[in-house]
Amino acid sequence: MRKKCGLALSGGGIKAFSQVGVVRFLKENGFKFDGFSGTSMGSIIATLLAHDIPINQVENSILKIEKIIIDEKLLDASNAQVFPLITRSITGLIDPSRFVRIIEEEFEQYNIKYIKDVKFPLVITSVDLISGKIVYFTNRKELIKSPYKYFIIMDDVLLIDAIRASCSFPMVFATMNFRDMQLVDGGVLMNVPVAPLKSMGLEKVLSISMDSFNEYQGSSKVTEIGGRIIDLMANQSTNAMLSLSDYNINVFDKKIGIFSFGQGKNAINLGYQVSQIEKKSILEFKKTLNKFFF
């Protein structure tokens, strides 16, 4: 027998694509996961994996999403509503409606509408600005043992609503108003969602992070400033989550940032390469998943 193991995927925009390369390596080496969690871009990848989508299709899906965003110039400056943001009539530079539709269309082919439709246990994180609490969107609410006073736990939601909330990157995408909450990117308080999987009773959790440790030289670009803010906010929570993780794989390259659209395939390859370098220790961790009875 083996111990139940969860996989926690971080947010990080294009950097998060590297997690697909890591998972490809893990699957090639016999890893099986019993539960998944994801934040922001990691929530999209985690959902596909939790629905048992083959890794080749997962890769195709996220590269397709990246291509549409590039082709339609969704994050170009021409699409940013600068003046309304200054006058505080909107909550982000980019209207997320087209992004949401792109994601929704991708999941429609897998017949996933509600989060409860996903096959394996899944938690998607977001943050409610009003209460200041972390929100867990999940298809296995009954498994979560965390005190409810610290979290908001919801299972009766459309999958796209959970992903839209988790991907609401501060200042860039407008915040999401949902059931008396104002939701933003889960990375604000929990970018590496290890805790929800531990709370579900999974005995081991493997996490993937993209901490770059890059020095910030200053910028006038809103996307780069937003990325830096998220990095700073995520640092403390990331350290706390990694202390709960049983094994963490960190993937980074200073040339690949949150908004490095066009670098998706390179990020995936980087994840696989880093995993190959760490192969010995990864396989040592795999041995700890075996249960021994005396």
Side-chain angles (χ1 to χ4, degrees), residues 63-290:
L63 289 176
K64 177 182 174 183
I65 291 168
E66 179 194 33
K67 185 177 186 303
I68 294 173
I69 290 173
I70 293 171
D71 290 348
E72 298 190 9
K73 301 179 180 179
L74 294 186
L75 289 176
D76 276 15
S78 59
N79 289 326
Q81 306 177 57
V82 179
F83 182 74
L85 180 65
I86 293 173
T87 59
R88 302 181 183 180
S89 62
I90 63 171
T91 58
L93 289 176
I94 306 297
D95 179 355
S97 58
R98 178 58 184 138
F99 173 77
V100 169
R101 186 57 191 152
I102 292 168
I103 304 301
E104 195 171 27
E105 288 172 353
E106 197 58 33
F107 280 105
E108 282 176 354
Q109 67 177 304
Y110 301 119
N111 297 314
I112 311 172
K113 184 175 182 181
Y114 292 91
I115 196 167
K116 286 186 177 180
D117 295 335
V118 178
K119 294 178 181 178
F120 285 89
L122 171 69
V123 177
I124 292 172
T125 63
S126 182
V127 173
D128 174 30
L129 293 179
I130 295 173
S131 68
K133 293 182 178 181
I134 296 172
V135 180
Y136 288 171
F137 294 105
T138 182
N139 59 345
R140 298 290 190 276
K141 185 176 181 179
E142 72 281 359
L143 296 180
I144 297 177
K145 307 304 180 185
S146 296
Y148 277 49
K149 65 180 180 178
Y150 299 118
F151 304 95
I152 298 171
I153 303 175
M154 308 185 72
D155 62 352
D156 57 335
V157 296
L158 292 168
L159 176 63
I160 191 59
D161 285 340
I163 290 175
R164 155 77 169 95
S166 190
C167 291
S168 293
F169 194 88
M171 298 193 307
V172 179
F173 285 129
T175 61
M176 179 180 176
N177 294 319
F178 184 75
R179 301 185 189 178
D180 299 321
M181 296 180 290
Q182 186 176 19
L183 302 175
V184 294
D185 195 305
V188 171
L189 292 178
M190 188 181 285
N191 199 46
V192 189
V194 176
L197 295 179
K198 287 288 187 175
S199 180
M200 281 182 157
L202 293 169
E203 297 163 276
K204 297 282 186 176
V205 175
L206 186 153
S207 57
I208 307 174
S209 60
M210 286 80 61
D211 291 334
S212 61
F213 312 108
N214 289 340
E215 292 185 5
Y216 179 68
Q217 301 297 328
S219 176
S220 60
K221 295 181 179 180
V222 170
T223 53
E224 291 180 1
I225 294 170
R228 178 60 172 171
I229 290 171
I230 283 291
D231 283 343
L232 292 175
M233 289 188 297
N235 278 345
Q236 287 189 333
S237 68
T238 294
N239 291 336
M241 288 298 102
L242 293 186
S243 70
L244 296 176
S245 175
D246 295 286
Y247 191 91
N248 183 70
I249 300 172
N250 189 63
V251 183
F252 74 91
D253 184 326
K254 63 182 180 181
K255 296 179 181 179
I256 302 176
I258 293 175
F259 296 102
S260 295
F261 288 93
Q263 292 285 330
K265 183 63 176 179
N266 289 337
I268 292 170
N269 292 338
L270 177 65
Y272 190 85
Q273 292 163 9
V274 169
S275 300
Q276 287 181 309
I277 293 171
E278 294 188 25
K279 180 174 182 178
K280 184 177 180 180
S281 60
I282 290 173
L283 295 183
E284 284 298 316
F285 168 69
K286 185 172 181 285
K287 291 179 183 179
T288 71
L289 300 180
N290 295 323

